[in-house]
Amino acid sequence: QITLKESGPTVVKPTQTLTLTCSFSGFSLDASGVSVAWFRQPPGQTLEWLALVYWDDDKPYSPSLKSRLTVTKDSSKNQVVLKMTNMEPVDTGTYYCAYGMSGNWFDPWGQGTLVIVSS
Amino acid sequence: DIQMTQSPSSLSASVGDRVTITCRASQSVSNYLHWYQQKPGKAPKLLISYVSTLQTGVPSRFSGSEPGTPGTDFALTISSLQPEDFATYYCQQSYSIPRTFGQGTKVEIK
């Protein structure tokens, strides 16, 4: 059974860097074809894809956020870490990580973690 | 970026109704089109991958198709709406980076 869970701060101040950890079980991020993706969803809005990390360490990022994002994987710890710099109030929302096969479809997802950007 | 446009944005339907949600891509995404269901306060759940492949455990009343222009026009149909189907549905393309979603279709109780 594949499970994922996001963890990190609930509140961050403007200009700060957000660090979120996705802890997973039930699969190896070293296995061919496997990927983990990050998404976010502002309150009442649609889903936005942020980044992917593949088993071979390829890391596509959202072009609109690429300068602010860094994703790293630690296969030995079964974790993927997302860092987003220079947080602004518009970055408020629920952040999800999800398992993806070849970075195409994504399931299952973690439960999500709410991040509020406020001074 | 490939824009995904869903219609309608919301609909009201009764239990037992047949419901169809459409998704149009701004350019061809081939068959790299997937459907998700999201209930309030919950994470999305994959229903259908690659236009029409039903995921394990998803009821057969859900189906996906490509009713119009191949590669750009897609549909999700619920053949007989059940109480547990009231949720928001999203399409997502994986043809190119960035992965993009439709704006969602909220299915409400009539």
Side-chain angles (χ1 to χ4, degrees):
Chain A
Q1 180 192 7
I2 291 174
T3 64
L4 306 96
K5 187 174 183 179
E6 308 85 354
S7 59
T10 299
V11 180
V12 297
K13 289 180 166 48
T15 76
Q16 286 187 335
T17 294
L18 171 69
T19 299
L20 295 176
T21 300
C22 176
S23 301
F24 59 84
S25 65
F27 67 94
S28 170
L29 197 38
D30 289 336
S32 180
V34 173
S35 65
V36 170
W38 284 97
F39 304 86
R40 68 180 179 180
Q41 186 172 36
Q45 297 186 39
T46 188
L47 297 153
E48 180 182 14
W49 172 78
L50 303 177
L52 266 168
V53 56
Y54 287 95
W55 81 100
D56 61 0
D57 213 32
D58 186 23
K59 300 171 189 175
Y61 292 101
S62 169
S64 64
L65 293 168
K66 186 174 183 177
S67 64
R68 298 173 55 202
L69 294 174
T70 303
V71 173
T72 56
K73 69 179 179 78
D74 186 334
S75 299
S76 65
K77 292 184 178 178
N78 283 353
Q79 291 182 335
V80 173
V81 174
L82 173 78
K83 291 185 185 290
M84 181 180 290
T85 61
N86 195 25
M87 294 291 285
E88 302 174 8
V90 294
D91 296 315
T92 292
T94 299
Y95 285 70
Y96 297 97
C97 62
Y99 169 89
M101 178 50 67
S102 299
N104 284 301
W105 50 257
F106 303 100
D107 193 72
W109 295 49
Q111 64 188 25
T113 186
L114 176 63
V115 176
I116 300 169
V117 184
S118 174
S119 55
Chain B
D1 297 8
I2 297 177
Q3 307 302 317
M4 308 301 291
T5 303
Q6 289 181 231
S7 62
S9 296
S10 65
L11 65 90
S12 295
S14 300
V15 173
D17 284 353
R18 181 182 181 89
V19 167
T20 296
I21 298 166
T22 63
C23 175
R24 173 166 288 178
S26 59
Q27 63 186 76
S28 177
V29 298
S30 186
N31 67 331
Y32 292 92
L33 188 285
H34 320 289
W35 290 98
Y36 298 83
Q37 175 193 67
Q38 186 178 33
K39 297 183 178 180
K42 300 296 185 182
K45 172 189 170 184
L46 180 69
L47 298 176
I48 290 171
S49 62
Y50 300 110
V51 179
S52 59
T53 301
L54 201 65
Q55 296 307 291
T56 302
V58 175
S60 59
R61 62 181 179 272
F62 290 92
S63 63
S65 64
E66 202 170 3
T69 305
T72 61
D73 292 336
F74 305 93
L76 173 70
T77 299
I78 309 172
S79 60
S80 177
L81 200 63
Q82 298 301 300
E84 60 267 32
D85 302 336
F86 292 94
T88 300
Y89 294 85
Y90 297 94
C91 60
Q92 175 239 320
Q93 64 82 20
S94 64
Y95 182 78
S96 66
I97 295 292
R99 305 295 192 238
T100 48
F101 291 83
Q103 81 278 17
T105 296
K106 187 174 184 179
V107 177
E108 298 176 301
I109 300 173
K110 191 171 187 178

